[in-house]
């Protein structure tokens, strides 16, 4: 449709001037903004649009043809002769040579070069300047590399409510799987939503566990059967033992009956060496050690009550936290207790009283880990309270070697299966320590902070290269250690043997000394009982002694508290008569502990001054 | 002249010395105690090597110069004393 505007104009009006007139501004249209219309639109996100104003250019590559070059040698047969001399002719060449020799320059040059040359020849003749010295000593490949450990994988608890990873077990063949037991060890800390599952992880896949194990109650410990890699046995929080077969699914194949199980959480379960490969034994804080055959879980095959008085009285029993069993010594086993004693037992004893062979005391807290050295079965490692100690079976009074008191509680430890002098410990502040006592005894060789929460468990793989540690929030971390820490050094076995023997001997001597002291003391006190006057004095001095030591105890506690406040910024070891007690911001129990130590030291000192014996620097605690 | 002879003879009679060669700048063996073919071979090859070595040294530090070159193959040791115009080559067996 065409838009057409028609107007008429008279002919005589054509060509007339335009008359313009001024007019004020008139508002024709005023359209006010209508906010209601805005609702029809949505504000658009501001977007950046770049605009550039340049010349458009294009890129073009050019490559010339390769210039091929080749290296060739020329065989100089005989050349360089000047034109007039024919090399074939002997006469001419001789004549030429003679001419050259007559040259003055030749003369001086040869003299100079000759002297130089002679020097070198004589040098050569004097000694062989290129001789390989120290050839016999093979280059000691001291791994210049620092010992280090690298995190390879982290396996997190997939449930929302995180539980502590209390126990880890490597798959016996090839170690490509890791079984982790999750539970909550805090008293009454279990919420109803907490899942009871424990998982088996494939090392390569940290995202999803390979298999789930569904027990009736939280699993505190879990072990693969070294003979049959499909069978696992687990001890649970309610005291029952259960075993799984990974071929049969997530539910336990069989569980022990409640009446015959433990009454406290089962802290440790170990497989025994037997023909059938189905024997295990378990330990719990209710004071019992029970033996089971997994084919018949209705009741234990054997029972042992850890009564130090050897009467089998359950009330007196010590709670067991860790077990130790070495397949090379099938009749002996050791139990680590809550009270800080290590009890060594003999399985084959006839009467229950004889089962408990001896006890080792020296720790102040529950013994969380107990393991014999795989190379030296007579020596074992215990990890408890704030120290780790190495013991020799023969010395019952004290450990032969121990670490300093740490700032945080040690929660687990184990020997390296490949190196006799290396062991690992984990602490409640989330650090993993690697100790090599042939290298350094006061400090760990390597200390690594694995995570921020406390670490509760640790397990080394059989090749000594990988280790896994479990934390409070259920995270299991897989670490790889540097090869220097997992290859046997040249003299290591010999050196470790020498060290153990030396320390054992030292302890033996001290023990003998102690016994002598005690004997003398006893005989002296017997002597003094015969004489009345001396008796009076003796009693008095004992009372005096008691009050004095009590006063001193309180003094020490006060002083310690003050010192603690002062030492907030600085860290300094407190030397006490030759024993290094590193008191670095200790917890309250640490202070009490240390004060008890000091009190005992004082009392010992007092006794020794009474009987005027020599005070020797490295003293042992006789906690009577 | 006689001293030159004497020097060369003295060098030759040192313990372990197998041969001595004097080569000029063009690679022509002037004086030698070995047979012709060996001499020519040594002269040609060592001449090239010395040139290369010298140029390397000069490239690294223009104010430096090659004073002595020692090559130790398994069997003998070859010592080359270079000069602007001549080259003194001695082959020695460094036995102890």
């Amino acid at each position: 449709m065409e838009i057409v505007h028609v107007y008429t104009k008279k002919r005589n009006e054509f060509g007339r001037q335009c008359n313009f007139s001024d007019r004020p501004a008139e508002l024709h249209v005023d359209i006010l903004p209508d906010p209601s219309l805005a609702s029809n639109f949505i504000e658009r996100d501001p977007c950046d649009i770049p605009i550039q104003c340049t010349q458009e250019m294009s890129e073009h590559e050019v490559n010339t043809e390769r210039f091929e070059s080749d290296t060739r040698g020329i065989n100089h047969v005989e050349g360089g002769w000047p034109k007039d001399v024919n090399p074939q002719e002997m006469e001419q060449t001789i004549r030429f040579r003679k001419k050259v020799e007559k040259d003055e320059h030749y003369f001086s040059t040869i003299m100079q070069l000759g002297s130089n040359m002679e020097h070198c020849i004589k040098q050569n003749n004097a000694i062989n300047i290129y001789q390989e010295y120290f050839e016999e000593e093979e280059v000691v490949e001291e791994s210049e590399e620092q010992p280090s450990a690298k995190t390879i994988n982290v396996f997190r608890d997939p449930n929302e409510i995180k539980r502590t990873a209390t126990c880890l077990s490597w798959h016996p063949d090839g170690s490509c799987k890791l079984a982790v037991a999750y539970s909550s060890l805090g008293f009454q800390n279990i919420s109803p939503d907490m899942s009871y599952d424990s998982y088996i992880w494939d090392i390569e896949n940290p995202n999803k566990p390979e298999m789930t194990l569904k027990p009736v109650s939280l699993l505190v410990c879990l072990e693969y059967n070294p003979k049959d890699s499909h069978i696992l046995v687990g001890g649970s929080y309610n005291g029952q033992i259960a075993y799984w077969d990974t071929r049969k699914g997530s539910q336990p194949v069989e569980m022990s009956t409640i009446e015959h199980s433990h009454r406290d959480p089962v802290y440790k379960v170990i497989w025994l060496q037997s023909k059938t490969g189905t024997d295990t034994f378990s330990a719990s804080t209710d004071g019992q050690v029970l033996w089971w055959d997994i084919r018949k879980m209705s009741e234990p095959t054997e029972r042992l009550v850890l009564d130090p008085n050897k009467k089998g009285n359950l009330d007196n029993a010590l709670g067991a936290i860790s077990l130790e069993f070495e397949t090379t010594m099938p009749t002996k086993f050791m139990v680590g207790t809550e009270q800080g004693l290590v009890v060594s037992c003999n399985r084959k004893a006839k009467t229950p009283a004889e089962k408990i062979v001896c006890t080792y005391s020296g720790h102040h807290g529950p013994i969380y880990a107990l393991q014999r050295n795989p190379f030296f079965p007579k020596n074992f490692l215990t990890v408890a309270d704030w120290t780790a100690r190495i013991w020799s079976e023969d010395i019952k009074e004290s450990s032969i070697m121990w670490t300093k008191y740490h700032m945080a509680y040690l929660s687990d430890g184990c020997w390296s299966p490949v190196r006799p002098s290396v062991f690992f410990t984990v602490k409640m502040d989330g650090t993993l320590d690697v100790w090599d006592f042939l290298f350094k005894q006061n400090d760990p060789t390597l200390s690594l902070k694995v995570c921020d929460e406390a670490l509760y468990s640790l397990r080394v793989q059989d090749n000594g290269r990988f280790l896994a540690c479990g934390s409070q929030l259920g995270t299991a971390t897989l670490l790889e250690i540097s090869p220097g820490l997992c290859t046997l050094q040249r003299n290591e076995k010999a050196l470790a043997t020498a060290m153990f023997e030396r320390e054992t001997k030292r302890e033996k001597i001290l023990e003998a000394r102690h016994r002598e002291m005690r004997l003398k003391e006893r005989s002296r006190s017997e002597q003094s009982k015969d004489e009345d006057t001396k008796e009076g004095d003796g009693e008095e001095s004992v009372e005096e002694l008691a009050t004095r030591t009590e006063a001193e105890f309180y003094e020490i506690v006060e002083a310690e508290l003050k010192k603690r406040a002062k030492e907030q910024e600085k860290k300094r070891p407190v030397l006490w008569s030759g024993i290094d007690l590193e008191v670095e911001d200790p917890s309250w129990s640490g202070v009490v502990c240390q004060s008890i130590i000091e009190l005992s030291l004082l009392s010992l000192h007092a006794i020794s001054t009474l009987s005027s014996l020599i005070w020797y620097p490295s003293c042992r605690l006789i906690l009577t | 002249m006689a001293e030159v002879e004497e020097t060369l003879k003295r060098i030759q009679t040192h313990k372990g010395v197998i041969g001595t060669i004097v080569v000029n700048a063009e690679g022509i063996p002037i004086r030698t105690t070995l047979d012709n073919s060996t001499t020519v071979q040594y002269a040609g090859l060592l001449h090239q090597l010395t040139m290369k070595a010298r140029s390397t040294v000069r490239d690294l530090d223009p104010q430096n110069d090659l004073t002595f070159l020692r090559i130790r193959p398994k069997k003998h040791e070859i010592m080359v004393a270079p000069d602007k115009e001549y080259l003194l080559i001695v082959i020695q067996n460094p036995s102890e």
Side-chain angles (χ1 to χ4, degrees):
Chain A
M1 191 181 78
E2 260 190 27
I3 302 178
V4 171
H5 178 74
V6 180
Y7 69 95
T8 51
K9 193 168 179 183
K10 283 193 182 160
R11 197 107 200 269
N12 56 3
E13 286 174 9
F14 282 10
R16 267 208 201 161
Q17 244 185 356
C18 294
N19 280 341
F20 292 114
S21 57
D22 253 333
R23 231 186 4 185
E26 273 178 34
L27 183 61
H28 286 263
V29 179
D30 187 10
I31 307 175
L32 289 170
D34 188 1
S36 65
L37 287 176
S39 58
N40 291 338
F41 300 92
I42 306 172
E43 212 168 82
R44 196 169 133 182
D45 282 332
C47 40
D48 291 308
I49 302 176
I51 302 174
Q52 192 172 354
C53 186
T54 51
Q55 258 185 338
E56 269 196 39
M57 297 205 260
S58 69
E59 200 179 292
H60 195 62
E61 266 181 45
V62 169
N63 203 2
T64 54
E65 263 184 42
R66 267 189 73 202
F67 176 72
E68 298 223 3
S69 63
D70 209 7
T71 318
R72 262 171 227 254
I74 302 177
N75 191 10
H76 187 187
V77 177
E78 187 149 358
W81 293 103
K83 279 211 191 112
D84 51 350
V85 177
N86 184 358
Q88 311 302 334
E89 295 251 344
M90 272 276 287
E91 270 186 33
Q92 292 187 5
T93 52
I94 292 175
R95 213 186 317 147
F96 180 79
R97 285 200 179 103
K98 285 237 167 70
K99 196 175 73 177
V100 172
E101 281 178 2
K102 293 248 166 50
D103 192 12
E104 182 62 36
H105 191 54
Y106 174 80
F107 178 68
S108 54
T109 315
I110 294 292
M111 293 313 291
Q112 187 217 332
L113 294 180
S115 61
N116 222 359
M117 183 64 77
E118 262 201 87
H119 172 76
C120 289
I121 293 176
K122 282 183 193 158
Q123 214 178 44
N124 259 352
N125 282 333
I127 51 160
N128 181 1
I129 62 175
Y130 295 107
Q131 185 190 7
E132 285 286 332
Y133 297 105
F134 308 118
E135 212 172 40
E136 319 76 47
E137 285 190 29
E138 3 162 312
V139 181
V140 178
E141 280 177 44
E142 292 289 331
S143 33
E144 302 278 343
E145 37 158 311
Q146 293 280 9
S148 62
K150 209 167 47 158
T151 311
I152 307 251
N153 252 332
V154 176
F155 306 97
R156 286 181 220 279
D157 187 0
N159 306 90
E160 276 198 13
I161 303 182
K162 306 282 180 202
R163 309 150 297 162
T164 316
T166 44
C167 189
L168 305 156
S169 175
W170 286 96
H171 192 175
D173 304 321
S175 303
C176 47
K177 290 199 248 208
L178 182 64
V180 186
Y182 295 92
S183 66
S184 172
L185 289 175
F187 187 61
Q188 310 223 336
N189 206 6
I190 306 179
S191 65
D193 300 333
M194 205 182 265
S195 144
Y196 287 162
D197 297 340
S198 289
Y199 302 106
I200 297 182
W201 297 86
D202 184 349
I203 295 185
E204 312 286 323
N205 182 9
N207 299 320
K208 196 164 157 314
E210 196 187 329
M211 202 175 140
T212 315
L213 301 171
K214 293 188 194 303
V216 168
S217 137
L218 288 168
L219 276 183
V220 179
C221 60
L222 191 55
E223 281 286 330
Y224 264 104
N225 186 347
K227 296 252 173 73
D228 181 357
S229 54
H230 296 282
I231 311 250
L232 294 120
V233 70
S236 55
Y237 198 70
N238 64 359
Q240 282 179 299
I241 314 278
Y243 89 94
W244 279 263
D245 188 334
T246 50
R247 295 167 291 205
K248 293 199 187 135
S250 307
Q251 296 293 334
V253 178
E254 207 183 327
M255 293 198 66
S256 62
T257 48
I258 298 244
E259 311 87 66
H260 296 278
S261 307
H262 290 281
R263 297 199 169 77
D264 263 356
V266 179
Y267 278 97
K268 190 97 180 171
V269 142
I270 296 190
W271 288 92
L272 285 171
Q273 184 87 300
S274 73
K275 279 181 276 200
T276 54
T278 54
D279 288 324
T280 72
F281 67 139
S282 61
S284 154
T285 39
D286 64 355
Q288 296 179 74
V289 177
L290 299 173
W291 278 263
W292 306 86
D293 182 342
I294 55 170
R295 293 168 297 188
K296 181 166 166 278
M297 291 286 248
S298 52
E299 69 169 9
T301 50
E302 225 181 306
R303 176 193 296 261
L304 169 66
V305 177
L306 287 170
D307 184 6
N309 298 337
K310 308 196 183 179
K311 286 207 191 81
N313 195 349
L314 205 55
D315 299 324
N316 273 355
L318 310 160
I321 292 252
S322 51
L323 275 181
E324 200 285 329
F325 176 73
E326 178 80 22
T327 46
T328 51
M329 290 198 269
T331 56
K332 288 203 281 192
F333 67 95
M334 292 199 292
V335 185
T337 61
E338 253 185 333
Q339 284 75 6
L341 291 170
V342 176
V343 183
S344 163
C345 310
N346 185 345
R347 207 182 154 194
K348 293 285 181 238
K350 303 285 186 300
T351 64
E354 280 176 34
K355 281 227 160 138
I356 298 179
V357 173
C358 56
T359 60
Y360 303 88
S361 60
H363 271 295
H364 310 295
I367 297 184
Y368 284 111
L370 176 58
Q371 195 190 6
R372 282 185 202 263
N373 188 329
F375 294 86
F376 301 99
K378 281 212 146 198
N379 297 300
F380 56 94
L381 167 75
T382 55
V383 171
D385 57 56
W386 300 271
T387 60
R389 287 173 191 266
I390 300 181
W391 305 72
S392 162
E393 257 188 355
D394 310 320
I395 313 278
K396 303 197 184 18
E397 283 201 2
S398 80
S399 50
I400 58 174
M401 287 161 61
W402 57 94
T403 66
K404 59 179 187 203
Y405 280 89
H406 292 278
M407 278 190 345
Y409 221 77
L410 267 75
S411 46
D412 201 357
C414 59
W415 289 100
S416 160
V418 287
R419 285 191 61 179
S421 64
V422 172
F423 64 93
F424 307 92
T425 55
V426 282
K427 302 217 280 275
M428 295 295 241
D429 60 359
T431 45
L432 164 76
D433 289 329
V434 182
W435 298 77
D436 179 358
F437 58 75
L438 286 179
F439 177 65
K440 210 186 339 179
Q441 289 201 5
N442 290 337
D443 287 312
T445 307
L446 174 65
S447 186
L448 215 84
K449 185 136 174 93
V450 173
C451 52
D452 288 327
E453 61 266 13
L455 284 173
Y456 271 93
S457 54
L458 170 70
R459 194 59 81 94
V460 185
Q461 207 194 40
D462 287 328
N463 64 8
R465 194 72 192 275
F466 292 100
L467 55 88
C469 39
S471 78
Q472 197 171 10
L473 293 179
T475 323
T477 317
L478 178 67
L479 293 134
E480 180 182 350
I481 328 176
S482 64
L485 287 170
C486 50
T487 41
L488 197 60
Q489 308 282 349
R490 261 182 304 137
N491 294 339
E492 197 169 333
K493 258 200 172 153
L495 289 170
T497 322
M499 170 154 301
F500 279 133
E501 271 175 34
R502 194 173 61 224
E503 298 296 325
T504 318
K505 209 165 75 166
R506 177 178 66 101
E507 280 305 317
K508 259 198 218 147
I509 295 175
L510 284 172
E511 209 181 317
R513 224 36 200 289
H514 263 107
R515 235 175 291 147
E516 258 180 53
M517 248 175 71
R518 260 179 282 163
L519 225 57
K520 268 197 197 160
E521 175 58 32
R522 223 174 294 153
S523 63
R524 215 170 272 230
S525 65
E526 276 179 16
Q527 260 185 12
S528 61
K529 272 192 201 145
D530 297 340
E531 306 180 15
D532 285 334
T533 45
K534 280 229 178 106
E535 187 186 336
D537 280 347
E539 270 183 29
E540 224 172 309
S541 52
V542 170
E543 268 180 17
E544 261 180 45
L545 183 65
T547 44
R548 189 153 59 94
T549 47
E550 197 180 307
E552 287 189 42
F553 172 71
Y554 282 116
E555 262 179 60
I556 291 172
V557 174
E558 292 291 308
E560 198 47 54
L561 285 172
K562 270 188 229 150
K563 216 190 292 180
R564 254 180 89 200
K566 250 191 279 175
E567 277 180 357
Q568 280 299 332
E569 303 91 47
K570 282 202 288 181
K571 298 191 177 188
R572 217 187 307 156
V574 175
L575 277 157
W576 186 269
S577 321
I579 294 184
D580 280 355
L581 293 172
E582 291 228 11
V583 183
E584 300 171 20
D585 195 17
S587 61
W588 174 242
S589 47
V591 172
V592 169
C593 186
Q594 197 222 346
S595 318
I596 296 174
I597 295 169
E598 287 166 7
L599 168 64
S600 326
L601 282 176
L602 269 176
S603 49
L604 191 57
H605 183 74
I607 294 173
S608 70
T609 47
L610 274 179
S611 27
S612 64
L613 281 172
I614 312 158
W615 172 252
Y616 40 88
S618 69
C619 78
R620 203 61 52 237
L621 292 178
I622 305 174
L623 293 171
T624 51
Chain B
M1 186 52 206
E3 283 166 25
V4 169
E5 294 292 332
E6 205 189 298
T7 312
L8 289 175
K9 205 187 285 188
R10 202 174 55 230
I11 292 177
Q12 181 63 31
T13 49
H14 266 295
K15 181 176 144 207
V17 172
I18 298 171
T20 322
I21 307 173
V22 178
V23 186
N24 83 340
E26 280 127 18
I28 304 171
I30 309 289
R31 223 27 220 282
T32 173
T33 57
L34 304 167
D35 58 275
N36 200 28
S37 49
T38 323
T39 308
V40 164
Q41 214 179 9
Y42 268 100
L45 294 167
L46 287 170
H47 191 254
Q48 286 177 39
L49 186 60
T50 318
M51 289 300 121
K52 191 72 182 179
R54 178 182 266 146
S55 71
T56 309
V57 170
R58 298 293 285 264
D59 280 345
L60 290 171
D61 181 7
Q63 285 162 357
N64 214 348
D65 195 9
L66 182 68
T67 51
F68 204 82
L69 185 63
R70 239 182 177 155
I71 305 163
R72 225 206 212 217
K74 263 199 289 198
K75 293 188 189 163
H76 318 299
E77 179 162 347
I78 304 171
M79 294 176 276
V80 180
D83 187 71
K84 256 193 356 213
E85 284 197 26
Y86 300 95
L87 211 67
L88 175 60
I89 304 169
V90 171
I91 303 137
Q92 191 192 18
N93 191 356
S95 55
E96 310 87 60

